[in-house]
Amino acid sequence: MANYESKNHRGYHRDRNQRPHQDQRRARQTERVQVEVGQRFPLTIKRMGINGEGIGYYKRMAVFVPGALTNEKAVVEVTSVATRYLRAKVHRIRKTSPHRVEPRDSYADQVGGFELEHLDYPAQLAFKRDVVAQALERYQPEGFHSYDLRPTLGMKDPYGYRNKAQFQVRRNAEGQVEAGLYAERSHDLIDLPTCSVQMPVTMTVMRAVVAMLQDLDMPIYDEEQKSGIVKTLVVRAAAHTDDVQLVFITNSPKLPHKRELLERIANELPQVTSVMQNINPGETSLVWGDDTRHLAGAEAITEKLGDLTFKLSARAFLQLNPAQTEVLYDEAKKALDLQPGQTVVDAYAGIGTIGLSLADVAAEVRGMEIIPEAVDDANANAAANGITNAHYEVGTAEDLLPKWVMAGFRPDAIVVDPPRTGLDATLIETILAIRPSKLVYVSCNPSTLAKDLVDLTADYRVEYIQSVDMMPQTARCEAVVKLTRRQ
């Protein structure tokens, strides 16, 4: 729906008085279009939406078709009907895009994270730059037509890059333990014996542990009965140190057969250097709970980015693509262009990856993060790398930054790397109040980026937007935005 609105709601930003007339016109249009689930019709795909789906128009009504590509002609079958748009699936392709390729993963059209695996890689990179353009067109921040949107920086080999596998664990109807991802728009688990975008070691460990759970007849969580213990398996690998961490996310502190399980892991998976348990009881949409316990090996693993080493505890955030993480952070550092003696705030700091990379130039680096373990890691990482001019605190940027400013600390530069929800409104107000001369926005969601730029461009000019492909084969796009304060 977001993509349909992005095309048709442009006028709202210029003249909101048009809305009643547009709504009436849409209502009349909807009354004329009678469509039922299961109905088939030919459709030409005009463009691709921000989630990687093809978009065509049936009697002027937007139709979203996962798996369809721009300029393809297909017969589609309606899967759901909404007030202003339809969803459909491909029944048959009548004219195929020259950019269509065969996916490596047989389940690519069933689970999330493989939305573009049927699209050749150069076209994926062009799509991700266009996603940024679509978001800007929708929200229209000041001067957006003249922004320098640079070509997306991609990978030589866009497979085998994911350093973390986070798979749900369930028993199937035959009693076999399975681990994988949910099918789109459902809680039906798709078992993933292989996965081409994962680092191979993560899948080796994942499948071996699934076999152990089966052999030991471990109590696996049952969503319907709300019983059982093992909910999720998380395997994270450090690309530059060969460390691997395994986390059991459980419904209770109990872990039956723990001794036998840990013995088998030690004997059969010597590459696993850290085993942890995270307790997340009950029915919840959150994967992680607040209580994390050490089971075996080290309590954290170590990763290297550039010349720095970073400690990673179980819940600490790190980008999923180690190779492209270095590209992304190099672009952030280049955009910030920090000069000797300047101070910088590293907002949404995680384990300090961006801020610590700036410490060799900055007079002082301050950062914040809401996960206490990540803040502990960030400060430990500073110490481990011999960095004495960086300090991290627990809290939100919108709370801590005003507090620091009131105490007399006014940063010359700020780098923000927010979650997909974008910047908190209070933080935007604070940035506009203290007006640092340099501002870099690292975004993982072009839509919230464009929305935030509407406010930020009141005082800042967008010099350029550099998109970076952190997650090949998916519709996700990261971007680094260089902003400079208006005089």
Side-chain angles (χ1 to χ4, degrees):
M1 181 173 177
N3 301 303
Y4 178 67
E5 291 184 338
S6 70
K7 180 175 181 180
N8 291 283
H9 286 189
R10 296 173 189 169
Y12 288 6
H13 301 283
R14 289 188 290 271
D15 184 0
R16 294 183 183 272
N17 293 326
Q18 295 179 25
R19 183 175 296 181
H21 304 292
Q22 291 177 346
D23 286 346
Q24 290 167 10
R25 186 163 61 249
R26 284 198 188 93
R28 290 194 298 271
Q29 169 190 313
T30 304
E31 288 172 7
R32 292 195 300 268
V33 179
Q34 298 296 321
V35 186
E36 296 180 352
V37 171
Q39 183 175 334
R40 294 175 182 170
F41 49 78
L43 189 73
T44 298
I45 304 302
K46 298 296 186 181
R47 62 190 177 94
M48 291 177 67
I50 60 173
N51 296 311
E53 71 280 73
I55 301 177
Y57 294 88
Y58 176 70
K59 298 182 179 179
R60 297 188 178 182
M61 200 173 206
V63 186
F64 296 89
V65 189
L69 300 176
T70 302
N71 295 327
E72 288 191 329
K73 297 182 185 297
V75 175
V76 302
E77 181 178 317
V78 176
T79 57
S80 67
V81 178
T83 304
R84 299 189 213 164
Y85 64 92
L86 308 173
R87 293 193 184 277
K89 62 182 179 181
V90 174
H91 172 67
R92 176 168 55 91
I93 297 178
R94 300 165 68 179
K95 178 187 174 185
T96 302
S97 166
H99 298 293
R100 178 176 286 277
V101 295
E102 188 67 25
R104 292 191 185 184
D105 298 288
S106 60
Y107 48 78
D109 60 345
Q110 300 177 60
V111 299
F114 303 88
E115 301 87 0
L116 300 183
E117 203 176 6
H118 59 297
L119 180 65
D120 68 45
Y121 194 54
Q124 288 187 33
L125 297 180
F127 162 79
K128 295 190 179 190
R129 180 181 180 276
D130 183 61
V131 165
V132 176
Q134 284 189 50
L136 294 171
E137 181 70 35
R138 179 182 182 189
Y139 288 100
Q140 303 192 352
E142 185 173 340
F144 76 99
H145 282 304
S146 60
Y147 288 178
D148 176 10
L149 301 185
R150 299 184 173 180
T152 307
L153 300 176
M155 303 183 71
K156 289 183 179 179
D157 180 10
Y159 290 95
Y161 64 85
R162 288 182 70 113
N163 60 11
K164 184 166 77 169
Q166 184 170 287
F167 288 178
Q168 307 303 314
V169 183
R170 300 292 183 265
R171 283 192 189 274
N172 63 19
E174 290 74 41
Q176 296 298 305
V177 178
E178 296 182 332
L181 302 174
Y182 291 129
E184 290 275 33
R185 302 177 185 278
S186 81
H187 266 223
D188 297 331
L189 191 75
I190 305 296
D191 188 44
L192 302 187
T194 63
C195 185
S196 69
V197 296
Q198 287 289 152
M199 289 174 61
V201 69
T202 64
M203 293 304 294
T204 298
V205 172
M206 180 68 69
R207 299 319 304 183
V209 173
V210 167
M212 294 175 195
L213 297 178
Q214 180 75 41
D215 291 346
L216 294 170
D217 196 24
M218 296 283 284
I220 306 302
Y221 185 68
D222 185 313
E223 281 188 300
E224 291 185 4
Q225 300 297 323
K226 298 179 179 55
S227 62
I229 291 179
V230 180
K231 284 183 167 182
T232 306
L233 294 177
V234 182
V235 181
R236 176 152 64 178
H240 297 290
T241 64
D242 296 328
D243 284 351
V244 177
Q245 184 176 70
L246 169 64
V247 183
F248 294 92
I249 298 181
T250 61
N251 187 43
S252 79
K254 296 179 181 178
L255 189 61
H257 309 295
K258 180 166 66 174
R259 182 178 58 80
E260 299 99 313
L261 182 61
L262 293 176
E263 284 179 358
R264 286 194 61 174
I265 292 168
N267 292 331
E268 299 174 31
L269 296 170
Q271 61 269 60
V272 174
T273 59
S274 171
V275 185
M276 308 292 288
Q277 179 183 3
N278 177 266
I279 298 143
N280 188 21
E283 186 178 12
T284 172
S285 61
L286 300 176
V287 175
W288 293 85
D290 294 328
D291 184 4
T292 302
R293 302 182 182 184
H294 176 227
L295 297 184
E299 292 195 24
I301 60 175
T302 301
E303 181 60 291
K304 291 183 178 179
L305 293 174
D307 296 329
L308 302 176
T309 59
F310 294 92
K311 173 187 172 186
L312 297 171
S313 59
R315 292 182 62 206
F317 171 77
L318 183 69
Q319 297 281 356
L320 290 171
N321 187 331
Q324 289 294 87
T325 296
E326 294 193 33
V327 173
L328 183 75
Y329 291 169
D330 283 347
E331 288 299 319
K333 191 173 182 178
K334 185 192 310 179
L336 202 60
D337 189 26
L338 205 64
Q339 299 302 305
Q342 291 185 323
T343 56
V344 60
V345 164
D346 177 13
Y348 307 94
I351 59 170
T353 43
I354 295 180
L356 296 180
S357 71
L358 302 167
D360 59 334
V361 177
E364 183 181 2
V365 176
R366 293 193 187 187
M368 67 283 283
E369 175 59 61
I370 60 172
I371 298 175
E373 298 98 316
V375 172
D376 290 342
D377 287 350
N379 286 316
N381 289 331
N385 287 283
I387 295 171
T388 58
N389 61 334
H391 174 70
Y392 293 86
E393 294 185 23
V394 178
T396 63
E398 50 271 21
D399 288 338
L400 287 176
L401 188 53
K403 172 183 161 187
W404 292 344
V405 171
M406 289 290 289
F409 176 78
R410 299 187 70 87
D412 299 299
I414 296 179
V415 55
V416 295
D417 185 8
R420 290 186 60 77
T421 50
L423 298 179
D424 182 269
T426 305
L427 177 57
I428 292 178
E429 292 173 6
T430 304
I431 291 172
L432 295 177
I434 65 176
R435 302 185 76 237
S437 60
K438 298 177 178 182
L439 175 62
V440 166
Y441 192 134
V442 180
S443 168
C444 61
N445 185 343
S447 292
T448 52
L449 166 65
K451 183 179 179 182
D452 290 342
L453 287 178
V454 172
D455 293 322
L456 291 172
T457 50
D459 272 358
Y460 287 86
R461 181 175 62 254
V462 173
E463 298 292 338
Y464 64 79
I465 300 179
Q466 175 64 70
S467 48
V468 179
D469 188 17
M470 298 293 293
M471 297 181 68
Q473 317 311 325
T474 79
R476 294 285 186 90
C477 178
E478 304 260 342
V480 174
V481 187
K482 179 180 176 66
L483 299 110
T484 54
R485 187 179 63 199
R486 298 182 188 275
Q487 298 303 317

